[in-house]
Amino acid sequence: MPAEILLKILSYLDAATLLCMGCVNRRFYHLANDKYNWRADSVQKTAESVSLLSVEDREAGYWKKEYVMKRMTSLKAALAQVLKPVNLYTGLPEKTKEALRMSGISWVIILREKSGKEHVLEHVDLFINDSSVTIAWYGKAWPCLAALSTLDLCGVLPVFADWPKPPAKNGPRWCSLVAKYSLSDMTDSAVLGCDRFVRLFRLDPGLLVGLWKREEELAFVMASLHVSHLVERSTLGSATAPYQLPAHGALADDGPERGLRGYQLHVDLHSGGAFCLCSTFCNLVTDTGGVDSGYVQLVAVHPQNSAEHLPLIGDVGLCWRTEVVDGCVQSCSIMDVTLLDEYGKPFWCFSSPVCMRASPSPRDGPRCAGQASRIDYEDAAGAVRMELVRIEATEEYFIVSLVLRLSLARINRWFGTRY
């Protein structure tokens, strides 16, 4: 069919259909990019009206890009309004769940082979709680692990979301890189735990990869994302570069102990929607007298004070599932940490798989009459160590120590101090 006739037909299509037509083949891509299509009445209702002269002055594809960017700007402005109210107790946006639901945000993983071939997988399961989102991918069509080099975790946002209607499943989407992982990092040091079917590998930040023990091939992938700035990270980046948080301005406080007092900590341990710990610790303080390798300590649970010791509810285990079998890896879990500064602003937030391992040197204390274990986590902002003791008589775990190590350099940047 002649190009002139096809262009006439395309001129009657709306913007969403034009974008989809551009994905058919190279010829339709160039036809759908024609500048006159993007000044059709159906597009002008939502895009900026342009004169014939201004259309002539622009190259092919310009008005399509302009339209998509205006559309995305409108969507992101609407999300920003939804996320504006902040919960005074958690310091996090009150309506994160509503923003995720109304925007149609979802997450994909892009498995990239060494040859450059890509495999895009849509998430299968999604668990949302107050402080994190846990996303799972599984199926039977995994590519061979030996051929893979990297894994990209991306948020995808429908370009033509029409709230409050649910977004179209097959429409054009904006892709935002959340994190990039090298699968060569799946070494023995990254093993988190195992059961009789799978071995679990943790790749930071927050990714869990399950391999079948027998075949050493992919069984499932699970990601845990903290809700702090989650919507921004899942929508404001590009397909190749993650969203960068704006620089935090130093707070106007000339107090002699600013940055060392008034912290509030919330810690969750959970898996598959079941929580074994959900606790808040207020008015935590530190000092610069015990600086160790550039870190200061926040102690939430003191080992010598038995009144502060906390029990875990039920057993610690990380549940997983695939299309053929499911299971639970004992002593593993998802840890969510939200640390607020004295002004109630999120200072350090993360969600990550963790493992409870035997402790070589249990602390002395009134409850230390059983098996001692500990949970460790560390990143550039700080570290968490939770020490536990199992009471055999009641088959319970008690937290007998909980200590955070905060980067002094991060405190100085955040508060404008010079400790």
Side-chain angles (χ1 to χ4, degrees):
M1 188 177 291
E4 293 78 7
I5 298 177
L6 288 173
L7 284 172
K8 183 64 175 178
I9 295 172
L10 293 179
S11 69
Y12 293 99
L13 301 181
D14 60 23
T17 309
L18 276 175
L19 287 174
C20 292
M21 288 294 293
C23 299
V24 173
N25 55 35
R26 186 184 297 271
R27 186 188 186 201
F28 274 97
Y29 173 80
H30 290 295
L31 290 172
N33 270 1
D34 187 88
K35 46 196 168 187
Y36 295 104
N37 285 329
W38 292 92
R39 62 183 296 271
D41 289 342
S42 59
V43 176
Q44 283 183 319
K45 291 178 182 177
T46 50
E48 182 183 73
S49 298
V50 294
S51 67
L52 183 60
L53 179 61
S54 63
V55 172
E56 292 286 1
D57 289 342
R58 301 297 185 178
E59 70 279 6
Y62 172 84
W63 292 112
K64 182 184 79 171
K65 295 176 184 177
E66 188 76 5
Y67 173 80
V68 172
M69 292 308 298
K70 286 180 179 293
R71 182 71 183 182
M72 292 305 301
T73 300
S74 174
L75 291 174
K76 292 167 184 176
L79 284 175
Q81 288 298 315
V82 175
L83 294 170
K84 186 173 290 186
V86 174
N87 187 308
L88 297 179
Y89 175 69
T90 64
L92 302 173
E94 285 187 326
K95 298 182 178 180
T96 298
K97 292 181 182 179
E98 181 180 340
L100 294 176
R101 176 187 56 79
M102 66 187 292
S103 64
I105 295 173
S106 60
W107 291 269
V108 301
I109 54 173
I110 303 174
L111 296 167
R112 191 169 289 105
E113 295 187 7
K114 297 170 185 175
S115 65
K117 183 179 178 180
E118 295 182 349
H119 305 264
V120 181
L121 282 74
E122 305 283 341
H123 76 257
V124 180
D125 286 336
L126 183 68
F127 303 97
I128 304 177
N129 59 55
D130 289 339
S131 55
S132 70
V133 174
T134 304
I135 313 151
W137 296 263
Y138 55 83
K140 297 179 180 178
W142 292 103
C144 178
L145 179 61
L148 299 176
S149 60
T150 60
L151 182 153
D152 290 357
L153 171 60
C154 299
V156 288
L157 176 68
V159 175
F160 298 103
D162 188 14
W163 304 328
K165 298 178 182 178
K169 292 184 178 180
N170 299 319
R173 302 186 297 180
W174 180 271
C175 184
S176 175
L177 179 66
V178 176
K180 193 178 189 72
Y181 305 88
S182 173
L183 296 180
S184 63
D185 293 338
M186 291 171 52
T187 61
D188 289 343
S189 62
V191 173
L192 195 70
C194 65
D195 60 14
R196 61 179 185 146
F197 294 115
V198 299
R199 285 201 302 162
L200 303 183
F201 293 80
R202 188 182 84 183
L203 301 179
D204 293 326
L207 193 75
L208 190 70
V209 180
L211 297 187
W212 296 115
K213 271 188 170 181
R214 183 171 298 179
E215 296 90 358
E216 284 293 319
E217 291 293 346
L218 290 168
F220 63 88
V221 174
M222 190 181 299
S224 51
L225 304 174
H226 199 281
V227 299
S228 178
H229 299 291
L230 175 59
V231 174
E232 294 89 337
R233 289 184 290 145
S234 300
T235 60
L236 300 184
S238 71
T240 57
Y243 168 69
Q244 297 295 326
L245 293 176
H248 178 80
L251 300 170
D253 182 356
D254 296 329
E257 295 182 342
R258 70 182 188 278
L260 304 177
R261 62 180 189 267
Y263 286 97
Q264 177 176 309
L265 171 67
H266 188 82
V267 182
D268 292 333
L269 283 176
H270 62 93
S271 173
F275 285 73
C276 58
L277 175 68
C278 183
S279 293
T280 299
F281 307 88
C282 300
N283 297 320
L284 302 179
V285 298
T286 184
D287 61 67
T288 57
V291 176
D292 179 17
S293 302
Y295 290 85
V296 294
Q297 285 192 351
L298 279 179
V299 181
V301 176
H302 294 78
Q304 295 81 13
N305 187 352
S306 60
E308 295 180 351
H309 298 175
L310 297 171
L312 297 186
I313 301 172
D315 294 325
V316 178
L318 199 153
C319 299
W320 58 269
R321 64 179 299 183
T322 66
E323 288 184 339
V324 294
V325 68
D326 53 18
C328 184
V329 179
Q330 298 300 314
S331 300
C332 295
S333 186
I334 304 294
M335 174 184 280
D336 300 339
V337 166
T338 306
L339 183 66
L340 308 181
D341 64 19
E342 60 185 289
Y343 306 99
K345 304 295 184 182
F347 175 77
W348 181 32
C349 301
F350 70 83
S351 178
S352 175
V354 293
C355 181
M356 185 166 58
R357 306 185 188 277
S359 176
S361 54
R363 293 179 179 270
D364 295 330
R367 292 192 183 274
C368 290
Q371 176 186 350
S373 306
R374 74 184 186 202
I375 295 174
D376 288 310
Y377 173 85
E378 184 174 1
D379 62 23
V384 176
R385 170 161 293 184
M386 179 185 293
E387 298 194 359
L388 308 99
V389 170
R390 180 175 174 84
I391 308 302
E392 298 298 339
T394 59
E395 297 184 344
E396 290 180 293
Y397 280 100
F398 276 81
I399 300 173
V400 297
S401 176
L402 178 57
V403 179
L404 276 66
R405 298 175 69 241
L406 303 182
S407 165
L408 194 59
R410 180 177 174 84
I411 291 176
N412 286 335
R413 288 195 302 271
W414 188 271
F415 294 96
T417 52
R418 295 183 179 181
Y419 295 128

